[in-house]
Amino acid sequence: MLILHGFAYSNYYNIVKHALLEKGVSFSENTVYTTDPQLRTISPAAKVPAITTERGEHLSETTAILEYLEEAYPEHPLLPEDPIARAKVRQVIKVLELYIELSTRRLLPIALMGGEPNVDTITEVKAALERGIAALNDICKPSPYLCGDTLTLADIYCRYAMAIPQLVGPKVLGMDIVAAVNGLPALMAKLAESEISQKIDADMRANQAEFMAKISGR
Ligand SMILES: N[C@@H](CCC(=O)N[C@@H](CS)C(=O)NCC(=O)O)C(=O)O
């Protein structure tokens, strides 16, 4: 059986977990934190998540894992059939990753543990966000999903990529980043209703205390 390595408080872990549940792929979970030396043997950059495939190969990097799952388990596709429609889903994911998630992640330590943010960092993060929000508003017209009437990897990626802006935005930047993207508040509310989202959110809450203890070295 496929193994998903990581921890339930990780937004990237939850992207892969949501895709696995949506696709109906059987998997088990191996809780491992980024401080655990074991992780390096499964995930070369020591990042969460990673998977071990049914054939025993290890794979990390969320988008690489998602692509693998689409190819290895085609039964319940989360990418459209049409090549340009598939590319648009990937384009949305890339925008979310580069300009929204990774930029706000720079301020995550401040949002979680407090302290004064560096002014230059704030300026850079805001510039990246402006770019990402403008791009999403150009590419996506949620109806109701980001790329049309069917749930795709873009929606799953978005739900969890937005976890960091939702934390950092109000606490550090005084911004509601979700509200800045047309139609996104309604889509986020719709996505939150699914049984899969609710299971993932419950598992995430249950992992919060252990995760906080790990990052504060307790
Ligand atoms: N590029 C990676 C990023 C994953 C990532 O940053 N995961 C976090 C947990 S949410 C992590 O492993 N952080 C540990 C670190 O940066 O050292 C991916 O797409 O999977």
Side-chain angles (χ1 to χ4, degrees), residues 7 10-12 34 46-49 61-63 97 105 157:
F7 53 93
S10 156
N11 61 332
Y12 284 106
T34 53
K47 294 270 186 179
V48 158
E61 291 301 328
T62 301
T63 49
E97 179 181 19
R105 181 170 281 273
Y157 199 96

Side-chain angles (χ1 to χ4, degrees), residues 106-125:
R106 295 176 66 190
L107 298 168
L108 187 59
I110 307 261
L112 288 178
M113 289 181 287
E116 265 313 301
N118 176 291
V119 179
D120 291 340
T121 309
I122 297 275
T123 308
E124 287 166 19
V125 170

Side-chain angles (χ1 to χ4, degrees), residues 122-140:
I122 297 275
T123 308
E124 287 166 19
V125 170
K126 281 190 169 167
L129 276 174
E130 208 175 300
R131 188 186 290 269
I133 290 165
L136 288 178
N137 279 328
D138 272 5
I139 313 165
C140 307

Side-chain angles (χ1 to χ4, degrees), residues 159-190:
R159 177 162 204 266
Y160 302 99
M162 281 292 168
I164 308 296
Q166 280 173 310
L167 200 66
V168 164
K171 272 195 174 169
V172 189
L173 298 169
M175 272 176 86
D176 184 341
I177 297 159
V178 170
V181 181
N182 296 335
L184 195 53
L187 174 60
M188 293 293 277
K190 179 177 175 58

Side-chain angles (χ1 to χ4, degrees), residues 7 9-10 33 35 108-114 167 171 204-218:
F7 53 93
Y9 205 71
S10 156
Y33 292 92
T35 45
L108 187 59
I110 307 261
L112 288 178
M113 289 181 287
L167 200 66
K171 272 195 174 169
M204 185 184 164
R205 283 192 296 274
N207 183 235
Q208 181 171 4
E210 190 172 280
F211 167 74
M212 292 308 280
K214 289 280 171 192
I215 61 166
S216 59
R218 274 178 274 143

